[in-house]
Amino acid sequence: MQKLIENLYDKYHKLSNGHLASYIPELAKVNPDYFAITIATTDGKIYTVGDSTTKFSLQSSSKPFTYGYALETYGRDFIRTKVGVEPTGKAFNSIVELEKKTHRPYNPMINSGAITITSLVPGKNEQERFSKILGLFNNLSGSTLNFDQQIYESESKTAHRNKSIAHLLRHFNIIDEKIDESLELYFKQCSIMATSVDLAWIGATIANSGVNPLTKTRAISDEYISDIVSLMFTCGMYDSSGEWAYSVGIPAKSGVSGCIVGVIPGVMGISVYSPLIDMKGHSVRGVQVIKDLSKELGLSIFETRNKL
Ligand code: GLN
């Protein structure tokens, strides 16, 4: 496994296609050469190569897990009234895409759905609500994580598009009147910093039914793991989810900072970090690496020749 990821690192570290996510100004300052690949297994093994100790903001790779937290807090029936489970075939920051009759966002992986989910995290103020989110990510990763003030502020100051999405959601009564507080909470969630190793453990915890393979702490109830993983699969790569299912076949979620987390249920979590992203917001090297890994190890859920 170690040799395999080292070979993939060598194969792709010169690939320099793509761009930095400049719509969040702070993300455009990141070193575009960073590159890390990590695999964490459900039986507690870790394989990593490259900039494994470099921290990056989780951005949208955080979305599936807060969704799990909301499911656990409110139950499936209530959450389903707020956010649907259908892919949109549209960009992650699409403004107009709400379901026709219900006005629910289509799914929790796009911004409208993720803002709705974060708006539901309970607590008497922003601080208390954020400490719940951070606690979740600490339990998932088995590390002590924190958010980056500069990345958070950089997004908050320039987030006209997400703000307009939130106001539309308020208009349709999908989120409550604490629009600003919930938005800030969402930006903080997106600016939680983690390493490739942390993110692979997060994936491995999901793969391990919600229990961190190292700390043995339960981060999320096993009842909601398939909700999380199925939505990563159908919606996690936004408007390239179909292409991803076809050519990779692994439930995954990307973030515009250049990270991708993949989950092989029962087996392992995969994480790749490389900040140059494509037009749909996915790490260019990350897509290639996970595609190759899937082929090499037969990891696609549709593959009958699994080699593990
Ligand atoms: N914080 C980012 C946003 O809301 C996350 C987007 C992403 O990673 N695709 O725009």
mmCIF file of all heavy atoms in Angstrom, residues 23-24 27 58-61 63 92-93 109 111 115 155 162 186-187 190-191 238 253-258 280-281, ligand 1:
data_model
loop_
_atom_site.group_PDB
_atom_site.id
_atom_site.type_symbol
_atom_site.label_atom_id
_atom_site.label_comp_id
_atom_site.label_asym_id
_atom_site.label_seq_id
_atom_site.Cartn_x
_atom_site.Cartn_y
_atom_site.Cartn_z
ATOM 1 N N TYR A 23 -11.790 32.685 -5.143
ATOM 2 C CA TYR A 23 -12.975 33.411 -4.659
ATOM 3 C C TYR A 23 -12.975 33.524 -3.134
ATOM 4 O O TYR A 23 -13.678 34.362 -2.570
ATOM 5 C CB TYR A 23 -14.277 32.786 -5.188
ATOM 6 C CG TYR A 23 -14.737 31.541 -4.464
ATOM 7 C CD1 TYR A 23 -15.716 31.627 -3.470
ATOM 8 C CD2 TYR A 23 -14.195 30.292 -4.754
ATOM 9 C CE1 TYR A 23 -16.141 30.488 -2.797
ATOM 10 C CE2 TYR A 23 -14.620 29.161 -4.089
ATOM 11 C CZ TYR A 23 -15.593 29.260 -3.111
ATOM 12 O OH TYR A 23 -15.998 28.138 -2.435
ATOM 13 N N ILE A 24 -12.182 32.673 -2.477
ATOM 14 C CA ILE A 24 -11.878 32.896 -1.059
ATOM 15 C C ILE A 24 -10.426 33.379 -1.053
ATOM 16 O O ILE A 24 -9.502 32.569 -1.209
ATOM 17 C CB ILE A 24 -12.041 31.607 -0.220
ATOM 18 C CG1 ILE A 24 -13.491 31.093 -0.316
ATOM 19 C CG2 ILE A 24 -11.640 31.842 1.235
ATOM 20 C CD1 ILE A 24 -13.750 29.756 0.374
ATOM 21 N N LEU A 27 -7.361 31.511 0.214
ATOM 22 C CA LEU A 27 -6.995 30.215 -0.396
ATOM 23 C C LEU A 27 -6.063 30.397 -1.593
ATOM 24 O O LEU A 27 -5.335 29.483 -1.968
ATOM 25 C CB LEU A 27 -8.244 29.432 -0.819
ATOM 26 C CG LEU A 27 -9.169 28.939 0.287
ATOM 27 C CD1 LEU A 27 -10.284 28.072 -0.284
ATOM 28 C CD2 LEU A 27 -8.402 28.179 1.369
ATOM 29 N N LEU A 58 -10.858 22.344 5.615
ATOM 30 C CA LEU A 58 -11.667 21.226 5.103
ATOM 31 C C LEU A 58 -12.657 21.660 4.028
ATOM 32 O O LEU A 58 -13.022 20.889 3.152
ATOM 33 C CB LEU A 58 -12.435 20.558 6.248
ATOM 34 C CG LEU A 58 -11.604 19.751 7.244
ATOM 35 C CD1 LEU A 58 -12.494 19.259 8.379
ATOM 36 C CD2 LEU A 58 -10.924 18.557 6.563
ATOM 37 N N GLN A 59 -13.114 22.930 4.103
ATOM 38 C CA GLN A 59 -14.119 23.427 3.153
ATOM 39 C C GLN A 59 -15.262 22.406 3.010
ATOM 40 O O GLN A 59 -15.719 21.875 3.991
ATOM 41 C CB GLN A 59 -13.459 23.789 1.812
ATOM 42 C CG GLN A 59 -12.415 24.879 1.947
ATOM 43 C CD GLN A 59 -12.971 26.205 2.462
ATOM 44 O OE1 GLN A 59 -14.148 26.485 2.348
ATOM 45 N NE2 GLN A 59 -12.122 27.022 3.066
ATOM 46 N N SER A 60 -15.651 22.102 1.785
ATOM 47 C CA SER A 60 -16.836 21.254 1.617
ATOM 48 C C SER A 60 -16.627 19.793 2.007
ATOM 49 O O SER A 60 -17.606 19.049 2.094
ATOM 50 C CB SER A 60 -17.315 21.305 0.170
ATOM 51 O OG SER A 60 -17.864 22.559 -0.092
ATOM 52 N N SER A 61 -15.373 19.396 2.236
ATOM 53 C CA SER A 61 -15.195 18.004 2.671
ATOM 54 C C SER A 61 -15.766 17.815 4.080
ATOM 55 O O SER A 61 -15.907 16.694 4.554
ATOM 56 C CB SER A 61 -13.722 17.575 2.617
ATOM 57 O OG SER A 61 -12.985 18.212 3.631
ATOM 58 N N LYS A 63 -18.838 18.750 4.827
ATOM 59 C CA LYS A 63 -20.311 18.722 4.754
ATOM 60 C C LYS A 63 -20.971 17.380 5.113
ATOM 61 O O LYS A 63 -21.986 17.373 5.820
ATOM 62 C CB LYS A 63 -20.769 19.161 3.350
ATOM 63 C CG LYS A 63 -20.541 20.643 3.057
ATOM 64 C CD LYS A 63 -20.792 20.933 1.584
ATOM 65 C CE LYS A 63 -20.631 22.388 1.219
ATOM 66 N NZ LYS A 63 -20.736 22.608 -0.249
ATOM 67 N N PHE A 92 -21.701 23.525 -7.079
ATOM 68 C CA PHE A 92 -21.917 23.487 -5.626
ATOM 69 C C PHE A 92 -22.545 24.757 -5.065
ATOM 70 O O PHE A 92 -23.207 24.738 -4.046
ATOM 71 C CB PHE A 92 -20.604 23.188 -4.881
ATOM 72 C CG PHE A 92 -19.551 24.275 -4.969
ATOM 73 C CD1 PHE A 92 -19.518 25.310 -4.037
ATOM 74 C CD2 PHE A 92 -18.600 24.253 -5.965
ATOM 75 C CE1 PHE A 92 -18.543 26.303 -4.098
ATOM 76 C CE2 PHE A 92 -17.624 25.235 -6.038
ATOM 77 C CZ PHE A 92 -17.597 26.265 -5.108
ATOM 78 N N ASN A 93 -22.307 25.889 -5.751
ATOM 79 C CA ASN A 93 -22.787 27.163 -5.202
ATOM 80 C C ASN A 93 -23.995 27.700 -5.964
ATOM 81 O O ASN A 93 -24.276 28.894 -5.939
ATOM 82 C CB ASN A 93 -21.653 28.189 -5.191
ATOM 83 C CG ASN A 93 -21.023 28.359 -6.566
ATOM 84 O OD1 ASN A 93 -21.512 27.788 -7.538
ATOM 85 N ND2 ASN A 93 -19.975 29.133 -6.650
ATOM 86 N N MET A 109 -24.870 18.202 0.212
ATOM 87 C CA MET A 109 -23.481 18.352 -0.239
ATOM 88 C C MET A 109 -23.259 19.672 -0.975
ATOM 89 O O MET A 109 -22.137 20.148 -1.076
ATOM 90 C CB MET A 109 -23.083 17.176 -1.147
ATOM 91 C CG MET A 109 -23.236 15.826 -0.494
ATOM 92 S SD MET A 109 -22.154 15.621 0.924
ATOM 93 C CE MET A 109 -23.106 14.491 1.892
ATOM 94 N N ASN A 111 -23.970 23.853 -1.365
ATOM 95 C CA ASN A 111 -23.943 24.883 -0.319
ATOM 96 C C ASN A 111 -25.305 25.129 0.319
ATOM 97 O O ASN A 111 -25.403 25.279 1.534
ATOM 98 C CB ASN A 111 -23.383 26.192 -0.875
ATOM 99 C CG ASN A 111 -21.892 26.095 -1.122
ATOM 100 O OD1 ASN A 111 -21.315 25.019 -1.001
ATOM 101 N ND2 ASN A 111 -21.267 27.205 -1.465
ATOM 102 N N ILE A 115 -25.581 24.728 4.244
ATOM 103 C CA ILE A 115 -25.900 25.885 5.100
ATOM 104 C C ILE A 115 -27.138 25.548 5.940
ATOM 105 O O ILE A 115 -27.203 25.839 7.132
ATOM 106 C CB ILE A 115 -26.109 27.155 4.240
ATOM 107 C CG1 ILE A 115 -24.765 27.599 3.628
ATOM 108 C CG2 ILE A 115 -26.729 28.294 5.058
ATOM 109 C CD1 ILE A 115 -24.868 28.659 2.537
ATOM 110 N N GLU A 155 -13.392 34.233 3.895
ATOM 111 C CA GLU A 155 -14.630 33.758 3.265
ATOM 112 C C GLU A 155 -15.821 34.605 3.703
ATOM 113 O O GLU A 155 -16.640 35.019 2.878
ATOM 114 C CB GLU A 155 -14.893 32.277 3.582
ATOM 115 C CG GLU A 155 -16.250 31.850 3.022
ATOM 116 C CD GLU A 155 -16.438 30.359 2.836
ATOM 117 O OE1 GLU A 155 -15.751 29.574 3.482
ATOM 118 O OE2 GLU A 155 -17.311 30.018 2.007
ATOM 119 N N ASN A 162 -23.055 33.005 -0.953
ATOM 120 C CA ASN A 162 -23.616 32.157 0.102
ATOM 121 C C ASN A 162 -24.635 32.923 0.944
ATOM 122 O O ASN A 162 -25.610 32.351 1.428
ATOM 123 C CB ASN A 162 -22.497 31.598 0.986
ATOM 124 C CG ASN A 162 -21.839 30.381 0.360
ATOM 125 O OD1 ASN A 162 -22.467 29.652 -0.404
ATOM 126 N ND2 ASN A 162 -20.574 30.157 0.681
ATOM 127 N N TYR A 186 -21.196 28.213 9.482
ATOM 128 C CA TYR A 186 -20.856 27.449 8.271
ATOM 129 C C TYR A 186 -19.448 27.817 7.771
ATOM 130 O O TYR A 186 -18.661 26.940 7.419
ATOM 131 C CB TYR A 186 -21.922 27.703 7.193
ATOM 132 C CG TYR A 186 -21.543 27.190 5.827
ATOM 133 C CD1 TYR A 186 -21.591 25.828 5.530
ATOM 134 C CD2 TYR A 186 -21.115 28.069 4.825
ATOM 135 C CE1 TYR A 186 -21.223 25.361 4.274
ATOM 136 C CE2 TYR A 186 -20.754 27.612 3.566
ATOM 137 C CZ TYR A 186 -20.802 26.261 3.300
ATOM 138 O OH TYR A 186 -20.428 25.792 2.062
ATOM 139 N N PHE A 187 -19.121 29.115 7.768
ATOM 140 C CA PHE A 187 -17.778 29.511 7.306
ATOM 141 C C PHE A 187 -16.703 28.977 8.253
ATOM 142 O O PHE A 187 -15.629 28.577 7.805
ATOM 143 C CB PHE A 187 -17.649 31.042 7.203
ATOM 144 C CG PHE A 187 -18.674 31.678 6.293
ATOM 145 C CD1 PHE A 187 -19.263 32.904 6.610
ATOM 146 C CD2 PHE A 187 -19.060 31.045 5.113
ATOM 147 C CE1 PHE A 187 -20.210 33.477 5.786
ATOM 148 C CE2 PHE A 187 -20.012 31.618 4.280
ATOM 149 C CZ PHE A 187 -20.595 32.831 4.620
ATOM 150 N N CYS A 190 -16.170 25.373 7.521
ATOM 151 C CA CYS A 190 -15.373 25.216 6.296
ATOM 152 C C CYS A 190 -13.903 25.526 6.535
ATOM 153 O O CYS A 190 -13.041 25.062 5.798
ATOM 154 C CB CYS A 190 -15.921 26.111 5.187
ATOM 155 S SG CYS A 190 -17.503 25.532 4.534
ATOM 156 N N SER A 191 -13.601 26.343 7.564
ATOM 157 C CA SER A 191 -12.208 26.727 7.790
ATOM 158 C C SER A 191 -11.539 25.887 8.882
ATOM 159 O O SER A 191 -10.455 26.237 9.346
ATOM 160 C CB SER A 191 -12.106 28.220 8.096
ATOM 161 O OG SER A 191 -12.777 28.515 9.295
ATOM 162 N N TYR A 238 -20.614 16.824 -6.768
ATOM 163 C CA TYR A 238 -21.506 17.785 -7.441
ATOM 164 C C TYR A 238 -21.849 17.359 -8.869
ATOM 165 O O TYR A 238 -22.263 16.234 -9.094
ATOM 166 C CB TYR A 238 -20.889 19.201 -7.456
ATOM 167 C CG TYR A 238 -20.281 19.643 -6.171
ATOM 168 C CD1 TYR A 238 -18.947 20.013 -6.093
ATOM 169 C CD2 TYR A 238 -21.046 19.715 -5.005
ATOM 170 C CE1 TYR A 238 -18.383 20.445 -4.911
ATOM 171 C CE2 TYR A 238 -20.491 20.155 -3.817
ATOM 172 C CZ TYR A 238 -19.158 20.508 -3.775
ATOM 173 O OH TYR A 238 -18.603 20.932 -2.609
ATOM 174 N N LYS A 253 -15.923 13.061 -1.108
ATOM 175 C CA LYS A 253 -16.321 14.460 -1.009
ATOM 176 C C LYS A 253 -15.092 15.327 -1.188
ATOM 177 O O LYS A 253 -14.056 15.083 -0.587
ATOM 178 C CB LYS A 253 -16.950 14.743 0.372
ATOM 179 C CG LYS A 253 -17.474 16.150 0.523
ATOM 180 C CD LYS A 253 -18.782 16.347 -0.221
ATOM 181 C CE LYS A 253 -18.994 17.770 -0.669
ATOM 182 N NZ LYS A 253 -18.188 18.164 -1.846
ATOM 183 N N SER A 254 -15.258 16.364 -2.014
ATOM 184 C CA SER A 254 -14.144 17.276 -2.273
ATOM 185 C C SER A 254 -14.346 18.593 -1.533
ATOM 186 O O SER A 254 -15.461 18.918 -1.112
ATOM 187 C CB SER A 254 -14.070 17.556 -3.767
ATOM 188 O OG SER A 254 -15.232 18.250 -4.170
ATOM 189 N N GLY A 255 -13.265 19.342 -1.400
ATOM 190 C CA GLY A 255 -13.328 20.706 -0.868
ATOM 191 C C GLY A 255 -12.494 21.613 -1.756
ATOM 192 O O GLY A 255 -11.461 21.162 -2.283
ATOM 193 N N VAL A 256 -12.891 22.885 -1.908
ATOM 194 C CA VAL A 256 -12.167 23.785 -2.821
ATOM 195 C C VAL A 256 -10.753 24.132 -2.362
ATOM 196 O O VAL A 256 -9.990 24.714 -3.136
ATOM 197 C CB VAL A 256 -12.904 25.128 -3.091
ATOM 198 C CG1 VAL A 256 -14.030 24.967 -4.059
ATOM 199 C CG2 VAL A 256 -13.308 25.808 -1.818
ATOM 200 N N SER A 257 -10.398 23.765 -1.141
ATOM 201 C CA SER A 257 -9.002 23.942 -0.714
ATOM 202 C C SER A 257 -8.107 22.936 -1.430
ATOM 203 O O SER A 257 -6.883 23.047 -1.369
ATOM 204 C CB SER A 257 -8.903 23.733 0.794
ATOM 205 O OG SER A 257 -9.537 22.507 1.138
ATOM 206 N N GLY A 258 -8.703 21.936 -2.071
ATOM 207 C CA GLY A 258 -7.928 20.955 -2.827
ATOM 208 C C GLY A 258 -7.866 19.589 -2.166
ATOM 209 O O GLY A 258 -6.997 18.767 -2.488
ATOM 210 N N LYS A 280 -14.783 22.392 -11.654
ATOM 211 C CA LYS A 280 -15.900 22.005 -10.780
ATOM 212 C C LYS A 280 -15.528 22.062 -9.308
ATOM 213 O O LYS A 280 -16.325 21.710 -8.442
ATOM 214 C CB LYS A 280 -16.381 20.609 -11.163
ATOM 215 C CG LYS A 280 -16.734 20.579 -12.647
ATOM 216 C CD LYS A 280 -17.770 19.587 -12.998
ATOM 217 C CE LYS A 280 -18.292 19.922 -14.393
ATOM 218 N NZ LYS A 280 -18.984 18.844 -15.022
ATOM 219 N N GLY A 281 -14.283 22.455 -9.030
ATOM 220 C CA GLY A 281 -13.865 22.629 -7.640
ATOM 221 C C GLY A 281 -13.186 21.415 -7.032
ATOM 222 O O GLY A 281 -13.048 21.333 -5.808
HETATM 223 N N1 GLN B 1 -16.662 27.323 1.930
HETATM 224 C C1 GLN B 1 -16.848 27.027 0.542
HETATM 225 C C2 GLN B 1 -18.099 27.690 -0.001
HETATM 226 O O1 GLN B 1 -19.095 27.676 0.637
HETATM 227 C C3 GLN B 1 -16.895 25.537 0.336
HETATM 228 C C4 GLN B 1 -17.061 25.172 -1.109
HETATM 229 C C5 GLN B 1 -16.357 23.911 -1.512
HETATM 230 O O2 GLN B 1 -15.426 23.449 -0.869
HETATM 231 N N2 GLN B 1 -16.782 23.370 -2.648
HETATM 232 O O3 GLN B 1 -18.103 28.243 -1.065
#
